[in-house]
Amino acid sequence: MGEILKKRLKMSKFESPIQEAILGVMVASSYLRSEVDKAGSPFGISGEQYNILRILKGVTPEGHACGEIGNRMLDRSPDITRRIDALEKLGLVERKRSEQDRRVVITKITEKGLAMLEQLTPGFQSYESKLQEKLTNEECCELARLCEKLFEADV
């Protein structure tokens, strides 16, 4: 097992099954992120920005505070404000102070942002179709189950 991974990492052997599993998950994650970025690149949208737009679409028209967006991100990164700044400059999101608490700024997806998601959809569907050629539905379910097992205690 792991011959493709060994070749990819130019390794002759793994120190343990856990090392092989960790490296396999990390390489697969890097591959998936790269594919997501490729799908968004014709539109100048990174995978993280796409994730933010999808999060905000799910709470239209209310929006979310920056911290809540960060909590829902796939990658919980400290530079969420910078990513939202870039989306705002593109006119894909807008920010307004909360009327209930002026310290809170709510970010909402704009009509232009919703339209951008519609344009991105075919690229992401193509990406998903490419993955479905590699994994059966049963394998996808098993992979999801195993991944959840890794992070379940930290949710």
Side-chain angles (χ1 to χ4, degrees), residues 121-141:
T121 298
F124 282 95
Q125 286 174 337
S126 171
Y127 157 70
E128 288 176 7
S129 294
K130 184 176 165 182
L131 292 178
Q132 284 181 321
E133 291 173 9
K134 296 180 179 191
L135 297 172
T136 65
N137 284 341
E138 185 178 284
E139 288 170 329
C140 288
C141 290

Side-chain angles (χ1 to χ4, degrees), residues 1-2 5-6 9 11 13-27 146-147 149-151:
M1 267 186 71
L5 183 60
K6 284 183 209 171
L9 298 176
M11 296 175 68
K13 66 177 185 164
F14 298 106
E15 292 176 16
S16 65
I18 192 69
Q19 182 192 48
E20 180 179 0
I22 290 168
L23 293 173
V25 168
M26 292 175 80
V27 168
L146 290 171
C147 288
K149 195 171 180 178
L150 291 175
F151 62 78

Side-chain angles (χ1 to χ4, degrees), residues 44-109:
I45 299 293
S46 70
E48 291 86 2
Q49 290 171 319
Y50 175 72
N51 189 209
I52 292 168
L53 291 174
R54 287 195 43 147
I55 290 166
L56 292 174
K57 179 183 177 188
V59 291
T60 298
E62 291 83 18
H64 272 314
C66 185
E68 185 59 27
I69 295 169
N71 287 337
R72 293 169 182 258
M73 292 287 292
L74 296 174
D75 286 318
R76 297 195 175 156
S77 111
D79 63 348
I80 186 74
T81 301
R82 185 175 56 85
R83 296 186 194 289
I84 292 172
D85 287 344
L87 290 170
E88 188 174 38
K89 285 179 185 167
L90 294 171
L92 304 176
V93 301
E94 62 184 11
R95 291 187 266 202
K96 293 186 179 171
R97 291 220 173 265
S98 167
E99 293 179 12
Q100 291 83 8
D101 184 345
R102 301 283 300 152
R103 296 170 295 177
V104 176
V105 177
I106 302 296
T107 303
K108 298 179 179 186
I109 192 168

